[in-house]
Amino acid sequence: QSVLTQPPSVSAAPGQKVTISCSGSSSNIGNNYVSWYQQLPGTAPKLLIYDNNKRPSGIPDRFSGSKSGTSATLGITGLQTGDEADYYCGTWDSSLSAVVFGGGTKLTVV
Amino acid sequence: QVQLVQSGAEVKKPGASVKVSCKASGYTFTNYGTSWVRQAPGQGLEWVGWISGYNGNTNYAQKFQGRVTMTTDTSTSTAYMELRSLRSDDTAVYYCARDDSSTSREFWGQGTLVTVSS
């Protein structure tokens, strides 16, 4: 059971927009920055969003992040088939003194 | 460019130990910590622990305390993770990642598959 809760799967059509939620508590999301990762099959996670809403160099602005209270959201616009992947949220949990991740959300572009 | 290159796949018997290496390049190793994250087959990401590149301080996830040891060799910019008393449920891909902060990691190794099987 993951500390952060994500929906197991989401789907949308090419060109559309999708959002992925990540729910936590005051000991993690509520008081720490959130990051988001994309993992394509058989590859290492790739950082998409850090510090709630910042994008590393090279990440297109189709990807966005936001946080409100103890929840965070990843948004992806202009969906492409290449966006099909697993997406994970992550943060620090001050009570556990540990890095925590969500269980992951599988995005299908159909 | 920043690169993290991990050692190759391992097959171990239950009860054995495994030591995975992660060689960093493209940045000052002592300026960053290294986290280890594992992923069991078909499962999500699980943080194993962290080691400082500056002074070797460590912080292990409670689940692994007593079974894991993380070390560094600053002369070769290499981080190591040793996991002991291996069980079948330790079968996973183990990743190292550079800690940019406590909440994000931009650079990851390619992963090392550790298979525990009798």
Side-chain angles (χ1 to χ4, degrees):
Chain A
Q1 201 77 333
S2 301
V3 173
L4 306 180
T5 301
Q6 298 180 233
S9 64
V10 296
S11 63
Q16 296 301 302
K17 174 182 177 178
V18 72
T19 60
I20 298 173
S21 61
C22 176
S23 177
S25 68
S26 59
S27 66
N28 43 66
I29 292 178
N31 284 284
N32 292 287
Y33 288 123
V34 176
S35 55
W36 288 91
Y37 301 87
Q38 176 193 62
Q39 188 176 36
L40 298 169
T43 68
K46 176 182 180 180
L47 181 67
L48 292 177
I49 298 290
Y50 69 98
D51 290 358
N52 301 334
N53 55 20
K54 297 182 173 66
R55 284 176 284 106
S57 174
I59 301 300
D61 59 7
R62 299 189 299 109
F63 296 92
S64 63
S66 64
K67 188 182 98 168
S68 178
T70 59
S71 294
T73 301
L74 172 70
I76 311 173
T77 60
L79 278 171
Q80 304 171 2
T81 55
D83 296 330
E84 286 200 333
D86 294 322
Y87 293 83
Y88 294 91
C89 57
T91 186
W92 176 257
D93 191 296
S94 306
S95 295
L96 298 173
S97 292
V99 174
V100 291
F101 294 101
T105 298
K106 182 175 184 59
L107 168 64
T108 302
V109 180
V110 289
Chain B
Q1 73 283 21
V2 175
Q3 276 195 308
L4 298 172
V5 179
Q6 298 183 222
S7 48
E10 303 262 14
V11 179
K12 297 292 183 181
K13 293 193 182 302
S17 300
V18 69
K19 191 170 186 177
V20 180
S21 68
C22 171
K23 183 171 176 57
S25 61
Y27 67 96
T28 302
F29 182 76
T30 51
N31 285 354
Y32 294 87
T34 299
S35 272
W36 290 88
V37 176
R38 77 177 188 179
Q39 187 171 35
Q43 303 301 309
L45 303 175
E46 181 177 32
W47 183 72
V48 179
W50 165 91
I51 183 165
S52 166
Y54 174 67
N55 57 15
N57 284 352
T58 55
N59 179 20
Y60 304 139
Q62 187 170 11
K63 174 178 180 177
F64 301 100
Q65 285 185 8
R67 277 208 309 142
V68 70
T69 300
M70 295 177 185
T71 56
T72 60
D73 181 344
T74 56
S75 69
T76 60
S77 299
T78 303
Y80 299 91
M81 182 207 65
E82 181 181 34
L83 189 61
R84 300 177 294 278
S85 302
L86 289 168
R87 308 184 288 253
S88 58
D89 62 0
D90 289 317
T91 293
V93 175
Y94 288 76
Y95 294 102
C96 63
R98 191 186 81 172
D99 268 30
D100 299 302
S101 73
S102 61
T103 60
S104 75
R105 285 130 206 99
E106 182 173 5
F107 298 101
W108 295 65
Q110 82 276 21
T112 296
L113 175 61
V114 175
T115 303
V116 183
S117 174
S118 55

